[in-house]
Amino acid sequence: RRSSWQHCQGAYVTSKMSGDNVRSTGPVCGSDYSEAEVLPDSFPSAPAEPLPEFLLEPEDAFIVKNRPVQLRCRASPATQIYFKCNGEWVNQNDHVTRESLDQITGLVVREVDISVSRTQVEELFGLEDYWCQCVAWSSAGTTKSNRAYVRIAYLRKNFEQEPLGREVRLEQEVLLQCRPPEGMPAAEVDWLKNEDVIDPSQDSNFLITIDHDLIIKQARLSDTANYTCVARNVVAKRRSSTATLIVFVSGGWSSWTEWSECNAQCGRGWQRRTRSCTNPAPLNGGAFCEGPPFQRVTCTTLCPVDGGWTEWAKWSACGTECTHWRSRECQAPPPRNGGKHCSGSMMESKNCTEGLCARNKKIYIEHADHFPGMGVAVYAGLVGALLLCVILVLCVGVLAYRRRCRHLHGDITDSSSALTAAFHPGNYKPPRQDNPHPLHPSAPPDLTATAGAFRTPLFSLQHGVNDSPHKIPMTTSPLLDPLPSLKIKVYNSSTLSSLELPADMGSGNGEILSLKSVGTIGREREYHSHTLSREPGLSTSATLGNLGGRLTIPNTGVSLLVPPGTIPQGKFYEMYLIINKWDKTTLPSEGSQTVLSPVVSCGPSGMLLNRPVVLTLPHCAQLDTPTPDWTLTLKSQTHQGAWEEVLTVGEETLSSPCYLQLEEECCHVLMEQLGTYGLVGQSCPPQPACKRLQLALFAPRAPCLSLDYSLRIYCIHDTPHAFKEVLDLERSLGGVLLEDPKPLLFKDSYHNLRLSIHDIPHTHWRSKLLAKYQEIPFYHIWSGSQRPLHCTFSLERGSLAVSQLTCKICVRQVEGEGQIFQLHTDIQETLPPHSPLPAGGTCLPSSQVGPYAFRLPDSIRQKICASLDAPSARGCDWRLLARSLGFDRYLNYFATKPSPTGVLLDLWEACHQGDADLVSLATALEEMGKSEVLVVMTTDGEC
């Protein structure tokens, strides 16, 4: 079939159908169109239009004074776009709409602006702020933008707290407080020093806290200036009143000058010395030096005595020169005290021959002519004597050199000759019998076999200071067990000392001690390197990472809290916690100080910490008195073994590396440097301080098969660790605890502790104590250098049939407090082992890793920090939390941390590790009005 089409230009045909505009794109042709042609059922359609996407969303804005703000949004593709404010559509006439075409996508882009006035915002009632939202349409649907809040900006005129001027001494810490006026948005604060802005990054002596306070770490003379707090936001700028800071210097005396000469030349007079108030001189109103600027003392000057001649002595015999002599001395009197010396000559001569001098002179010349070689012989003798001396010196040097070379060679002897002659190197010391872990020489051993143990005491010689260490003492008793192939090599002091000890003697869990002996010519040097003792029950360790954890030594009250984020991400450390034994460490106390806590080492030392860890130490200081009786000091041990002061409680500054939180029975130390720490204290006058002690009564374990019976009373610190130490000691001795320990307050009064036993049934028992009582010296208890302290009462029963013992034991400090033990026991009755769990010694796992170590979940912790870290104008922030929890003794320590709330929560975790109590924290937050945080704790945690 032939179809004829005429090409025609396509046109758009629009028809009215059901009130809708229908758009048709079919071609319109002339009369040649054949009705026989059938059109296709459908034509290709354009792709579906996507949902609108906002290219620009409205942003929060502030109305400054009466100037309206403009809100703008842009979306594509969009057929319509409008604003909705506070749930109501904005009038279409208030919109300014612009339409454009995206050159890349070909989609329609619509942009709309509206204006919001101050009146519109003020007319809104309710708690919610004024907000607007943009809504865009396309054929696919609608899209809403984020809400933009419109607030009226303001800044109050009056500061809530203005800085106050003050006078401070040189190098003192200064705190200038500033609370800016309330405003919207919150005001930013700058500090001016003499109208110049302070930049802490340029001057590290200044620190601006998150509360807008200015801290001067150490006041300098250049810090004397006028300081102003400036608050500003988009509305206005406010200046506080100027605070004048004056840094004064109190005067100091210079050194005394030398004493002047006595003003009297003869007899009694005066001497004088002076000093000046110039070291330093008082500045800016500082106090002048106290005391006199001069001193005067009496002096006595001896009067001068001129010398006088004695009588002339007799004339001497006539000499070869035909003269004789006589002399006199200036001793009648001799010159004293600066007196003049005698004037004149001491000797007088005159001719003693009458015409014979010429003849005698001639005879002397004739005799000299007969012996022309006399002078040469004298000189030859002197030269010969000098040569002989040189030869003797050379001989002595050669002999000394040969002897030295002979000493440098080792003397190797086999076992048979060594054992037969029974010798041993003089510089060798046998291991102590009470030390199961002998020293291991670090030099390579030279023994070909393992030496045996000594069977008899070694005979030792008393070496003098100059004795050579290679001398060998002799003895007739055998020293070593026979070994067929033993070889001993003896070194002198110029070589390395080597000795191989049995392998079984070097094993064990005790203290590891290595010894290096490095010889030098003429003397011997020793270097000792120690590693910490990790005994069972006194140490714990765990591998910790970024999630943190907790190390606890059970039943001692000692623990280490490592908060999350302390260790850098991706790093792991083998951390340890060790209680040092008293007999293996030097105590941190000195003078009148007393040790109040165990000496604890935590490590590894020198590791990098991102935030403070919390070390918990039990102490025995009595702190419930209304007035402070203690001066408490935290000390740290250096690598050389010396103790140095870290901080004194109540005297903290910004340079203090730690913060110490005191409780009645323990203390918690926030620190960023691991090491060895201990707490010491001394009395703070006028009241004497008191230590909390425990009295523990022990007896032998039943049944008693001897007539002798002993009672031991220990006087120990009232800490879980000290009581555990005594229990372990008595368990090894076979003793049992008869009663629960009794407390005793021991006062710093220099009075001894007196113990006595009374009301013994003398018909069956007899006391071996000759005196009426026993005493433990005050210094032994107060210094804590001797542990454990105890007294023993030795008793004797009349027969083996006697089994009942009734008596009283009184323990009291002279002119102080005391305790009485009422003892009634059957010495044949077997008592169960008594190991009560002391207060503070709750049995916690020795190590907890990750989130299981913390009571507060990390999500709750982060929300509390986000809510309280930012400073609040009303003070309802981390500072109020610190006061509610009792951690507000020195707030500047927390203010310098990136998250003060996080450090407070770490300290709270350490203080409540045993009870796992969230009630105290919830109560503090409730008092602060932080209801939103309470809701989070109730939802995410267990309260």
Side-chain angles (χ1 to χ4, degrees), residues 698-731:
F698 288 87
R701 183 178 291 111
C704 181
L705 304 178
S706 172
L707 295 177
D708 294 331
Y709 193 76
S710 60
L711 298 172
R712 292 184 294 275
I713 299 182
Y714 288 85
C715 176
I716 58 177
H717 285 174
D718 187 9
T719 60
H721 162 253
F723 185 62
K724 179 180 182 296
E725 187 179 24
V726 171
L727 280 178
D728 295 340
L729 175 62
E730 277 296 322
R731 190 177 295 112

mmCIF file of all heavy atoms in Angstrom, residues 698-731:
data_model
loop_
_atom_site.group_PDB
_atom_site.id
_atom_site.type_symbol
_atom_site.label_atom_id
_atom_site.label_comp_id
_atom_site.label_asym_id
_atom_site.label_seq_id
_atom_site.Cartn_x
_atom_site.Cartn_y
_atom_site.Cartn_z
ATOM 1 N N PHE A 698 48.503 -11.742 119.048
ATOM 2 C CA PHE A 698 48.708 -13.064 118.468
ATOM 3 C C PHE A 698 49.244 -14.016 119.526
ATOM 4 O O PHE A 698 49.904 -13.603 120.495
ATOM 5 C CB PHE A 698 49.706 -13.002 117.297
ATOM 6 C CG PHE A 698 49.158 -12.342 116.071
ATOM 7 C CD1 PHE A 698 49.235 -10.955 115.921
ATOM 8 C CD2 PHE A 698 48.567 -13.079 115.068
ATOM 9 C CE1 PHE A 698 48.752 -10.336 114.791
ATOM 10 C CE2 PHE A 698 48.066 -12.467 113.934
ATOM 11 C CZ PHE A 698 48.155 -11.102 113.800
ATOM 12 N N ALA A 699 48.959 -15.302 119.316
ATOM 13 C CA ALA A 699 49.450 -16.369 120.189
ATOM 14 C C ALA A 699 49.825 -17.558 119.331
ATOM 15 O O ALA A 699 49.411 -17.667 118.168
ATOM 16 C CB ALA A 699 48.383 -16.748 121.213
ATOM 17 N N PRO A 700 50.599 -18.545 119.891
ATOM 18 C CA PRO A 700 50.946 -19.736 119.106
ATOM 19 C C PRO A 700 49.709 -20.553 118.763
ATOM 20 O O PRO A 700 48.720 -20.563 119.494
ATOM 21 C CB PRO A 700 51.901 -20.504 120.017
ATOM 22 C CG PRO A 700 52.393 -19.493 121.002
ATOM 23 C CD PRO A 700 51.284 -18.523 121.188
ATOM 24 N N ARG A 701 49.786 -21.245 117.632
ATOM 25 C CA ARG A 701 48.675 -22.076 117.198
ATOM 26 C C ARG A 701 48.580 -23.315 118.093
ATOM 27 O O ARG A 701 49.583 -23.942 118.434
ATOM 28 C CB ARG A 701 48.862 -22.474 115.737
ATOM 29 C CG ARG A 701 47.695 -23.284 115.169
ATOM 30 C CD ARG A 701 47.907 -23.621 113.693
ATOM 31 N NE ARG A 701 47.813 -22.416 112.860
ATOM 32 C CZ ARG A 701 48.833 -21.865 112.218
ATOM 33 N NH1 ARG A 701 50.028 -22.407 112.335
ATOM 34 N NH2 ARG A 701 48.680 -20.792 111.474
ATOM 35 N N ALA A 702 47.369 -23.653 118.502
ATOM 36 C CA ALA A 702 47.133 -24.809 119.364
ATOM 37 C C ALA A 702 47.311 -26.099 118.557
ATOM 38 O O ALA A 702 47.173 -26.093 117.319
ATOM 39 C CB ALA A 702 45.732 -24.720 119.962
ATOM 40 N N PRO A 703 47.575 -27.225 119.225
ATOM 41 C CA PRO A 703 47.741 -27.343 120.679
ATOM 42 C C PRO A 703 49.154 -26.973 121.112
ATOM 43 O O PRO A 703 50.103 -27.136 120.346
ATOM 44 C CB PRO A 703 47.447 -28.812 120.942
ATOM 45 C CG PRO A 703 47.869 -29.489 119.673
ATOM 46 C CD PRO A 703 47.551 -28.543 118.567
ATOM 47 N N CYS A 704 49.298 -26.473 122.344
ATOM 48 C CA CYS A 704 50.585 -26.066 122.900
ATOM 49 C C CYS A 704 51.150 -27.246 123.686
ATOM 50 O O CYS A 704 50.543 -27.696 124.678
ATOM 51 C CB CYS A 704 50.418 -24.836 123.780
ATOM 52 S SG CYS A 704 51.971 -24.234 124.478
ATOM 53 N N LEU A 705 52.297 -27.756 123.292
ATOM 54 C CA LEU A 705 52.900 -28.933 123.914
ATOM 55 C C LEU A 705 54.034 -28.578 124.847
ATOM 56 O O LEU A 705 54.710 -29.472 125.366
ATOM 57 C CB LEU A 705 53.411 -29.881 122.824
ATOM 58 C CG LEU A 705 52.369 -30.335 121.785
ATOM 59 C CD1 LEU A 705 53.020 -31.220 120.742
ATOM 60 C CD2 LEU A 705 51.212 -31.038 122.465
ATOM 61 N N SER A 706 54.265 -27.294 125.082
ATOM 62 C CA SER A 706 55.354 -26.857 125.951
ATOM 63 C C SER A 706 54.788 -26.105 127.144
ATOM 64 O O SER A 706 53.647 -25.612 127.114
ATOM 65 C CB SER A 706 56.325 -25.984 125.172
ATOM 66 O OG SER A 706 57.280 -25.404 126.020
ATOM 67 N N LEU A 707 55.595 -26.009 128.188
ATOM 68 C CA LEU A 707 55.177 -25.223 129.355
ATOM 69 C C LEU A 707 55.264 -23.731 129.067
ATOM 70 O O LEU A 707 54.586 -22.940 129.720
ATOM 71 C CB LEU A 707 56.055 -25.578 130.567
ATOM 72 C CG LEU A 707 55.933 -27.011 131.098
ATOM 73 C CD1 LEU A 707 56.900 -27.223 132.245
ATOM 74 C CD2 LEU A 707 54.493 -27.299 131.543
ATOM 75 N N ASP A 708 56.085 -23.340 128.102
ATOM 76 C CA ASP A 708 56.236 -21.921 127.763
ATOM 77 C C ASP A 708 55.129 -21.504 126.800
ATOM 78 O O ASP A 708 54.718 -22.260 125.920
ATOM 79 C CB ASP A 708 57.593 -21.674 127.121
ATOM 80 C CG ASP A 708 58.739 -21.918 128.098
ATOM 81 O OD1 ASP A 708 58.524 -21.740 129.306
ATOM 82 O OD2 ASP A 708 59.841 -22.299 127.640
ATOM 83 N N TYR A 709 54.665 -20.284 126.987
ATOM 84 C CA TYR A 709 53.588 -19.729 126.160
ATOM 85 C C TYR A 709 53.864 -18.240 125.995
ATOM 86 O O TYR A 709 54.235 -17.543 126.961
ATOM 87 C CB TYR A 709 52.231 -19.945 126.828
ATOM 88 C CG TYR A 709 51.049 -19.698 125.922
ATOM 89 C CD1 TYR A 709 50.688 -20.610 124.952
ATOM 90 C CD2 TYR A 709 50.290 -18.538 126.054
ATOM 91 C CE1 TYR A 709 49.594 -20.398 124.124
ATOM 92 C CE2 TYR A 709 49.192 -18.313 125.237
ATOM 93 C CZ TYR A 709 48.854 -19.240 124.268
ATOM 94 O OH TYR A 709 47.772 -19.022 123.457
ATOM 95 N N SER A 710 53.719 -17.721 124.784
ATOM 96 C CA SER A 710 54.052 -16.321 124.515
ATOM 97 C C SER A 710 52.874 -15.618 123.855
ATOM 98 O O SER A 710 52.144 -16.217 123.056
ATOM 99 C CB SER A 710 55.296 -16.212 123.626
ATOM 100 O OG SER A 710 55.074 -16.849 122.387
ATOM 101 N N LEU A 711 52.717 -14.364 124.194
ATOM 102 C CA LEU A 711 51.715 -13.491 123.590
ATOM 103 C C LEU A 711 52.443 -12.343 122.905
ATOM 104 O O LEU A 711 53.280 -11.670 123.528
ATOM 105 C CB LEU A 711 50.745 -12.943 124.647
ATOM 106 C CG LEU A 711 49.906 -13.977 125.398
ATOM 107 C CD1 LEU A 711 49.146 -13.299 126.532
ATOM 108 C CD2 LEU A 711 48.928 -14.670 124.466
ATOM 109 N N ARG A 712 52.141 -12.106 121.616
ATOM 110 C CA ARG A 712 52.796 -11.052 120.852
ATOM 111 C C ARG A 712 51.777 -9.983 120.484
ATOM 112 O O ARG A 712 50.708 -10.304 119.924
ATOM 113 C CB ARG A 712 53.454 -11.620 119.588
ATOM 114 C CG ARG A 712 54.637 -12.519 119.867
ATOM 115 C CD ARG A 712 55.315 -12.962 118.567
ATOM 116 N NE ARG A 712 54.453 -13.816 117.776
ATOM 117 C CZ ARG A 712 54.352 -15.125 117.943
ATOM 118 N NH1 ARG A 712 55.057 -15.735 118.883
ATOM 119 N NH2 ARG A 712 53.557 -15.844 117.173
ATOM 120 N N ILE A 713 52.104 -8.730 120.780
ATOM 121 C CA ILE A 713 51.244 -7.589 120.451
ATOM 122 C C ILE A 713 51.990 -6.719 119.445
ATOM 123 O O ILE A 713 53.089 -6.234 119.715
ATOM 124 C CB ILE A 713 50.872 -6.766 121.699
ATOM 125 C CG1 ILE A 713 50.116 -7.624 122.690
ATOM 126 C CG2 ILE A 713 50.043 -5.563 121.320
ATOM 127 C CD1 ILE A 713 49.679 -6.888 123.919
ATOM 128 N N TYR A 714 51.368 -6.548 118.283
ATOM 129 C CA TYR A 714 51.949 -5.730 117.227
ATOM 130 C C TYR A 714 51.330 -4.340 117.255
ATOM 131 O O TYR A 714 50.107 -4.187 117.448
ATOM 132 C CB TYR A 714 51.708 -6.367 115.859
ATOM 133 C CG TYR A 714 52.527 -7.611 115.608
ATOM 134 C CD1 TYR A 714 52.082 -8.847 116.050
ATOM 135 C CD2 TYR A 714 53.742 -7.541 114.948
ATOM 136 C CE1 TYR A 714 52.834 -9.997 115.820
ATOM 137 C CE2 TYR A 714 54.496 -8.681 114.700
ATOM 138 C CZ TYR A 714 54.043 -9.900 115.152
ATOM 139 O OH TYR A 714 54.780 -11.022 114.925
ATOM 140 N N CYS A 715 52.167 -3.350 117.049
ATOM 141 C CA CYS A 715 51.722 -1.958 116.909
ATOM 142 C C CYS A 715 51.993 -1.548 115.465
ATOM 143 O O CYS A 715 53.151 -1.362 115.067
ATOM 144 C CB CYS A 715 52.471 -1.060 117.889
ATOM 145 S SG CYS A 715 52.088 0.680 117.712
ATOM 146 N N ILE A 716 50.937 -1.412 114.663
ATOM 147 C CA ILE A 716 51.072 -1.192 113.221
ATOM 148 C C ILE A 716 50.224 -0.005 112.802
ATOM 149 O O ILE A 716 49.341 0.444 113.546
ATOM 150 C CB ILE A 716 50.650 -2.443 112.420
ATOM 151 C CG1 ILE A 716 49.196 -2.816 112.755
ATOM 152 C CG2 ILE A 716 51.594 -3.603 112.703
ATOM 153 C CD1 ILE A 716 48.668 -3.996 111.963
ATOM 154 N N HIS A 717 50.482 0.486 111.601
ATOM 155 C CA HIS A 717 49.653 1.553 111.024
ATOM 156 C C HIS A 717 48.247 1.026 110.755
ATOM 157 O O HIS A 717 48.060 -0.139 110.409
ATOM 158 C CB HIS A 717 50.262 2.054 109.718
ATOM 159 C CG HIS A 717 51.452 2.927 109.929
ATOM 160 N ND1 HIS A 717 52.234 3.397 108.896
ATOM 161 C CD2 HIS A 717 52.006 3.431 111.055
ATOM 162 C CE1 HIS A 717 53.200 4.139 109.374
ATOM 163 N NE2 HIS A 717 53.093 4.169 110.685
ATOM 164 N N ASP A 718 47.266 1.899 110.895
ATOM 165 C CA ASP A 718 45.879 1.524 110.641
ATOM 166 C C ASP A 718 45.593 1.628 109.141
ATOM 167 O O ASP A 718 44.837 2.476 108.677
ATOM 168 C CB ASP A 718 44.936 2.431 111.445
ATOM 169 C CG ASP A 718 43.487 1.960 111.346
ATOM 170 O OD1 ASP A 718 43.261 0.862 110.808
ATOM 171 O OD2 ASP A 718 42.595 2.698 111.797
ATOM 172 N N THR A 719 46.261 0.753 108.387
ATOM 173 C CA THR A 719 46.041 0.656 106.947
ATOM 174 C C THR A 719 45.876 -0.812 106.580
ATOM 175 O O THR A 719 46.440 -1.696 107.248
ATOM 176 C CB THR A 719 47.220 1.253 106.152
ATOM 177 O OG1 THR A 719 48.420 0.541 106.485
ATOM 178 C CG2 THR A 719 47.407 2.726 106.482
ATOM 179 N N PRO A 720 45.113 -1.126 105.534
ATOM 180 C CA PRO A 720 44.936 -2.537 105.146
ATOM 181 C C PRO A 720 46.254 -3.227 104.827
ATOM 182 O O PRO A 720 46.435 -4.394 105.149
ATOM 183 C CB PRO A 720 44.027 -2.450 103.917
ATOM 184 C CG PRO A 720 43.346 -1.126 104.025
ATOM 185 C CD PRO A 720 44.302 -0.209 104.708
ATOM 186 N N HIS A 721 47.181 -2.506 104.210
ATOM 187 C CA HIS A 721 48.440 -3.141 103.825
ATOM 188 C C HIS A 721 49.253 -3.542 105.043
ATOM 189 O O HIS A 721 49.833 -4.641 105.084
ATOM 190 C CB HIS A 721 49.242 -2.172 102.950
ATOM 191 C CG HIS A 721 50.695 -2.542 102.853
ATOM 192 N ND1 HIS A 721 51.683 -1.824 103.497
ATOM 193 C CD2 HIS A 721 51.326 -3.556 102.223
ATOM 194 C CE1 HIS A 721 52.841 -2.370 103.257
ATOM 195 N NE2 HIS A 721 52.668 -3.419 102.491
ATOM 196 N N ALA A 722 49.325 -2.677 106.065
ATOM 197 C CA ALA A 722 50.113 -2.999 107.252
ATOM 198 C C ALA A 722 49.540 -4.208 107.979
ATOM 199 O O ALA A 722 50.280 -5.075 108.450
ATOM 200 C CB ALA A 722 50.166 -1.783 108.182
ATOM 201 N N PHE A 723 48.213 -4.298 108.102
ATOM 202 C CA PHE A 723 47.594 -5.440 108.769
ATOM 203 C C PHE A 723 47.810 -6.722 107.970
ATOM 204 O O PHE A 723 48.075 -7.783 108.535
ATOM 205 C CB PHE A 723 46.102 -5.165 108.971
ATOM 206 C CG PHE A 723 45.403 -6.238 109.753
ATOM 207 C CD1 PHE A 723 45.764 -6.507 111.059
ATOM 208 C CD2 PHE A 723 44.391 -6.982 109.178
ATOM 209 C CE1 PHE A 723 45.125 -7.495 111.790
ATOM 210 C CE2 PHE A 723 43.756 -7.972 109.894
ATOM 211 C CZ PHE A 723 44.122 -8.235 111.208
ATOM 212 N N LYS A 724 47.728 -6.636 106.649
ATOM 213 C CA LYS A 724 47.973 -7.820 105.808
ATOM 214 C C LYS A 724 49.406 -8.297 105.971
ATOM 215 O O LYS A 724 49.682 -9.506 105.993
ATOM 216 C CB LYS A 724 47.680 -7.474 104.354
ATOM 217 C CG LYS A 724 47.914 -8.608 103.367
ATOM 218 C CD LYS A 724 47.581 -8.158 101.953
ATOM 219 C CE LYS A 724 47.772 -9.293 100.951
ATOM 220 N NZ LYS A 724 49.185 -9.707 100.879
ATOM 221 N N GLU A 725 50.352 -7.369 106.099
ATOM 222 C CA GLU A 725 51.753 -7.728 106.261
ATOM 223 C C GLU A 725 51.975 -8.508 107.553
ATOM 224 O O GLU A 725 52.703 -9.511 107.573
ATOM 225 C CB GLU A 725 52.608 -6.454 106.238
ATOM 226 C CG GLU A 725 54.095 -6.684 106.235
ATOM 227 C CD GLU A 725 54.879 -5.389 106.194
ATOM 228 O OE1 GLU A 725 54.330 -4.346 106.608
ATOM 229 O OE2 GLU A 725 56.033 -5.419 105.756
ATOM 230 N N VAL A 726 51.328 -8.076 108.650
ATOM 231 C CA VAL A 726 51.482 -8.778 109.928
ATOM 232 C C VAL A 726 50.805 -10.140 109.878
ATOM 233 O O VAL A 726 51.319 -11.133 110.419
ATOM 234 C CB VAL A 726 50.918 -7.913 111.070
ATOM 235 C CG1 VAL A 726 50.851 -8.696 112.374
ATOM 236 C CG2 VAL A 726 51.764 -6.684 111.255
ATOM 237 N N LEU A 727 49.634 -10.233 109.240
ATOM 238 C CA LEU A 727 48.962 -11.528 109.125
ATOM 239 C C LEU A 727 49.843 -12.531 108.377
ATOM 240 O O LEU A 727 49.950 -13.698 108.782
ATOM 241 C CB LEU A 727 47.632 -11.361 108.397
ATOM 242 C CG LEU A 727 46.449 -10.833 109.219
ATOM 243 C CD1 LEU A 727 45.228 -10.686 108.329
ATOM 244 C CD2 LEU A 727 46.143 -11.732 110.383
ATOM 245 N N ASP A 728 50.480 -12.092 107.294
ATOM 246 C CA ASP A 728 51.353 -12.996 106.544
ATOM 247 C C ASP A 728 52.564 -13.413 107.377
ATOM 248 O O ASP A 728 52.990 -14.576 107.331
ATOM 249 C CB ASP A 728 51.817 -12.317 105.253
ATOM 250 C CG ASP A 728 50.671 -12.055 104.289
ATOM 251 O OD1 ASP A 728 49.616 -12.711 104.432
ATOM 252 O OD2 ASP A 728 50.815 -11.175 103.411
ATOM 253 N N LEU A 729 53.115 -12.478 108.167
ATOM 254 C CA LEU A 729 54.262 -12.807 109.006
ATOM 255 C C LEU A 729 53.889 -13.828 110.072
ATOM 256 O O LEU A 729 54.602 -14.817 110.288
ATOM 257 C CB LEU A 729 54.808 -11.522 109.648
ATOM 258 C CG LEU A 729 55.946 -11.710 110.660
ATOM 259 C CD1 LEU A 729 57.164 -12.328 109.995
ATOM 260 C CD2 LEU A 729 56.310 -10.369 111.295
ATOM 261 N N GLU A 730 52.775 -13.611 110.758
ATOM 262 C CA GLU A 730 52.367 -14.535 111.815
ATOM 263 C C GLU A 730 51.967 -15.892 111.241
ATOM 264 O O GLU A 730 52.165 -16.924 111.883
ATOM 265 C CB GLU A 730 51.204 -13.921 112.599
ATOM 266 C CG GLU A 730 51.632 -12.956 113.675
ATOM 267 C CD GLU A 730 52.441 -13.635 114.776
ATOM 268 O OE1 GLU A 730 52.118 -14.780 115.128
ATOM 269 O OE2 GLU A 730 53.397 -13.020 115.264
ATOM 270 N N ARG A 731 51.407 -15.903 110.044
ATOM 271 C CA ARG A 731 51.048 -17.180 109.427
ATOM 272 C C ARG A 731 52.304 -18.011 109.175
ATOM 273 O O ARG A 731 52.286 -19.241 109.347
ATOM 274 C CB ARG A 731 50.296 -16.923 108.124
ATOM 275 C CG ARG A 731 49.674 -18.178 107.518
ATOM 276 C CD ARG A 731 48.884 -17.858 106.258
ATOM 277 N NE ARG A 731 47.731 -17.021 106.553
ATOM 278 C CZ ARG A 731 47.601 -15.763 106.166
ATOM 279 N NH1 ARG A 731 48.568 -15.182 105.478
ATOM 280 N NH2 ARG A 731 46.505 -15.079 106.459
#
